[in-house]
Amino acid sequence: MNLLWGKIRHSIGLGLDLLYPPRCGGCGATGQGWWCPTCSASEAALGAEGITRAMLDDGRPLLEIAWARFAPPLREGIHALKYGGSPQLAGPFGERMARAWQAGAPDWAADLVAPVPLHAVRQRERGYNQSERLATVVARVIGSPLERAAMARQRATAQQAQLDRNARQANVAGAFFAQAARVSGRRVLVIDDVYTTGATLRACADALYRAGAADVAALTLARA
Ligand SMILES: [Zn+2]
């Protein structure tokens, strides 16, 4: 039923694109695509600054790469991607993430690309998982398979945006579960939209390592 509704919505979306030209997710300009040339020119790519070699509490590695700074107009673009019903922004954003990944970690060969899962209730409300949309594009560009079901949320969590750093860690600790059959012995690239404290990515990496992943890295769209 949800799948059917998704397809209907997608078809309606294609029809609406013809009637109403897309509106830029950054500045609202019409007729210049979902991400206009002016907003593209205002992106603050992080380059080498966006690469962090982090470690989990038990010493296992977590390479983290973020493409750009979380600042206008990208901030508005991410809001449109997450809450504004503009999943199309995953196209241009995912391509930029993939290029940042290829430049930052040329030797890190991902066996699979895994999105940070949304809780099922939230995904139903939104109609899609923005991280999965980004992961789909990243997987295509870097040529690694997308594994949607590598991880699941085993409990609902409060919205991270409303919490401080310590509360964020406690909020997501143990929230994720990874499928050993899909990740064991493999190098997993986790995809998320915004990196704030890294608590969500660390919780995902922990779940993946516990399920036997050989190595874990994370790629995000923006770092706050
Ligand atoms: Zn724009």
Side-chain angles (χ1 to χ4, degrees), residues 24 26-29 35-36 38-39:
C24 171
C27 67
W35 190 241
C36 79
T38 306
C39 287

